[in-house]
Amino acid sequence: QVHLVESGGGLVQPGGSLRLSCVASGLTFSAHAMGWFLYTPGNQREFVGAISSSGMTTSYASFVKGRFTLSRDGAKNTLYLQMNGLKPEDTAVYYCAAEGGKLAIEEHEYTHWGQGTQVTVSS
């Protein structure tokens, strides 16, 4: 069974930082591109960023560019999302996802999803 388990969400003040983690099991982590998506009620999951299987290539949504950074640790089978300069509009449930091979930005291209972790940005 493939499991993706996110953690690190919580309540943070505007301008603050959080680091989300996604621990993957049941798959060959190094063979999968990985991504982060967000979800708010009434909307489909929205692309945040993605990283290639090698970790050499990243892609980011425009609204997080310069603030969020994806990285991965193959030894720990863990994907990270470092979030700096958080804004209230970043409030959402953040989901980790695994793609079948190459880096992708479309939700339907990802095959496995975590349970999500809540990020709330508020004063």
Side-chain angles (χ1 to χ4, degrees), residues 31-90:
H32 292 266
M34 303 291 294
W36 287 98
F37 290 75
L38 62 79
Y39 173 80
T40 55
N43 295 290
Q44 295 182 327
R45 280 183 277 217
E46 182 177 4
F47 175 74
V48 174
I51 187 167
S52 63
S53 59
S54 69
M56 297 297 293
T57 304
T58 54
S59 181
Y60 297 94
S62 61
F63 67 91
V64 305
K65 181 68 176 178
R67 299 189 297 125
F68 292 7
T69 303
L70 276 78
S71 61
R72 61 193 296 161
D73 186 333
K76 296 181 179 180
N77 282 7
T78 301
L79 172 72
Y80 300 99
L81 181 65
Q82 179 66 48
M83 304 187 294
N84 299 324
L86 283 161
K87 305 174 180 179
E89 51 263 44
D90 296 322

Side-chain angles (χ1 to χ4, degrees), residues 87-103:
K87 305 174 180 179
E89 51 263 44
D90 296 322
T91 297
V93 178
Y94 285 75
Y95 292 86
C96 170
E99 198 267 340
K102 65 183 185 298
L103 182 149

